[in-house]
Amino acid sequence: MVELRSVHKSFGSLEVLRGLDLEVRKGEVTVILGPSGSGKSTLLRAINHLEKVDKGWISVDGALVGYRRSGDKLYELRERDVLKQRTQIGFVFQNFNLFPHLTVLENVVEAPISALKRPRKEAVAHAGTLLDRVGLADKADAYPKQLSGGQQQRVAIARALALEPKLLLFDEPTSALDPELVGEVLDVIKDLASQGTTMIVVTHEIGFAREVADTVVFMDEGLIVEQGAPGDVLDRPRHDRTRAFLSKVL
Ligand code: ADP
Ligand code: MG
């Protein structure tokens, strides 16, 4: 579903992704772990066209994302194709990023109506189903600030699902939450995983990784240091850097 080959990305003189390779299979959950500043968010943002890569290529479900170097010529996607691909990838941010001036329901129906041109009635019916699925059917008319962080993040997940994406990206979805609210958000993500949604989840929740991930990837300094089944990477890490990181977060 997702393939990255030798992806490079710098901000000025800072090389954030240093020739990164990654494959994510359809229907699988990939959890990415790694210290702050290792390039995890940049990696997710590149997959979703929020950052352009300098070199290498990324494809999502066979469609090329961003830049490719073909000979000396940089190949760039047309704006139209970028917009189309972005509607097929859901992104859930650490800080929810809901529209504060819109109700929960309006947050969820906004993209299907404006980007997919769905009839309003159909979008509202679908939003009802999604809010029910994340346990917030009774909050449709509330505004984000009237909700807890855990509820807001569940709305953000419903909003991402409203586009029926083929891929869901989560960037530390529970890091901004009070500890007692983490579980309700992870439960929703677990539920999606059990239904075969393809997901890449950046998180420090090791218990979640152990339970839900098909593959755990440990990233450091813009490269993947090791990856494999959760039992291998989390319990029998082969690299010192992975061991050092795990000893801090476990
Ligand atoms: P992580 O998510 O693993 O903490 P990031 O991908 O956010 O790491 O960032 C990797 C590095 O790139 C950090 O040093 C960060 O400060 C830097 N960085 C990220 N985005 C930008 C940007 N837009 N401009 C300059 N530096 C950036
Ligand atoms: Mg980050």
Side-chain angles (χ1 to χ4, degrees):
M1 176 62 86
V2 186
E3 199 175 350
L4 287 87
R5 284 286 167 254
S6 196
V7 169
H8 291 257
K9 172 71 184 177
S10 297
F11 295 109
S13 60
L14 181 68
E15 211 182 358
V16 174
L17 301 178
R18 301 189 301 136
L20 190 134
D21 295 306
L22 178 67
E23 273 172 40
V24 172
R25 278 189 293 272
K26 198 170 276 189
E28 293 202 344
V29 179
T30 300
V31 167
I32 300 184
L33 308 172
S36 178
S38 56
K40 306 179 300 295
S41 295
T42 304
L43 168 64
L44 291 188
R45 292 168 59 81
I47 294 171
N48 200 27
H49 295 285
L50 295 168
E51 301 287 355
K52 282 181 178 169
V53 306
D54 302 324
K55 226 163 91 181
W57 56 266
I58 303 175
S59 77
V60 177
D61 204 19
L64 201 61
V65 171
Y67 273 174
R68 165 172 71 174
R69 203 177 270 282
S70 117
D72 279 328
K73 207 164 134 264
L74 278 176
Y75 168 90
E76 195 172 358
L77 290 181
R78 285 171 304 185
E79 188 68 14
R80 207 180 49 194
D81 296 329
V82 168
L83 292 176
K84 176 159 177 262
Q85 286 186 2
R86 288 193 60 188
T87 65
Q88 299 171 341
I89 302 172
F91 202 122
V92 176
F93 300 87
Q94 182 174 352
N95 291 308
F96 331 134
N97 287 16
L98 296 174
F99 302 116
H101 59 291
L102 297 181
T103 63
V104 163
L105 180 72
E106 293 302 328
N107 264 280
V108 179
V109 299
E110 197 277 334
I113 292 174
S114 68
L116 299 184
K117 311 291 179 215
R118 289 276 158 76
R120 184 175 169 85
K121 217 173 151 185
E122 190 186 310
V124 167
H126 187 214
T129 310
L130 293 172
L131 288 173
D132 195 35
R133 190 156 155 201
V134 299
L136 291 172
D138 57 331
K139 298 290 184 190
D141 298 323
Y143 284 87
K145 67 170 185 297
Q146 299 171 312
L147 303 179
S148 72
Q151 290 172 328
Q152 289 186 55
Q153 192 60 302
R154 287 187 280 146
V155 174
I157 294 171
R159 182 178 63 173
L161 291 172
L163 289 168
E164 296 174 35
K166 41 178 134 176
L167 171 68
L168 270 179
L169 308 175
F170 292 87
D171 194 358
E172 300 200 30
T174 60
S175 300
L177 299 177
D178 291 333
E180 75 272 22
L181 303 178
V182 167
E184 66 190 58
V185 171
L186 293 180
D187 284 346
V188 168
I189 303 175
K190 276 180 212 169
D191 177 52
L192 295 173
S194 71
Q195 295 174 38
T197 314
T198 311
M199 303 193 273
I200 304 178
V201 186
V202 172
T203 183
H204 297 305
E205 296 290 335
I206 302 296
F208 170 84
R210 198 185 294 284
E211 191 180 338
V212 179
D214 295 291
T215 302
V216 173
V217 171
F218 174 69
M219 232 178 119
D220 196 16
E221 297 183 352
L223 286 173
I224 289 171
V225 175
E226 71 180 287
Q227 61 180 307
D232 292 332
V233 176
L234 300 174
D235 300 326
R236 293 175 290 280
R238 287 180 292 127
H239 291 265
D240 289 342
R241 279 190 285 171
T242 317
R243 272 192 284 275
F245 175 79
L246 289 172
S247 72
K248 284 181 207 143
V249 296
L250 279 174

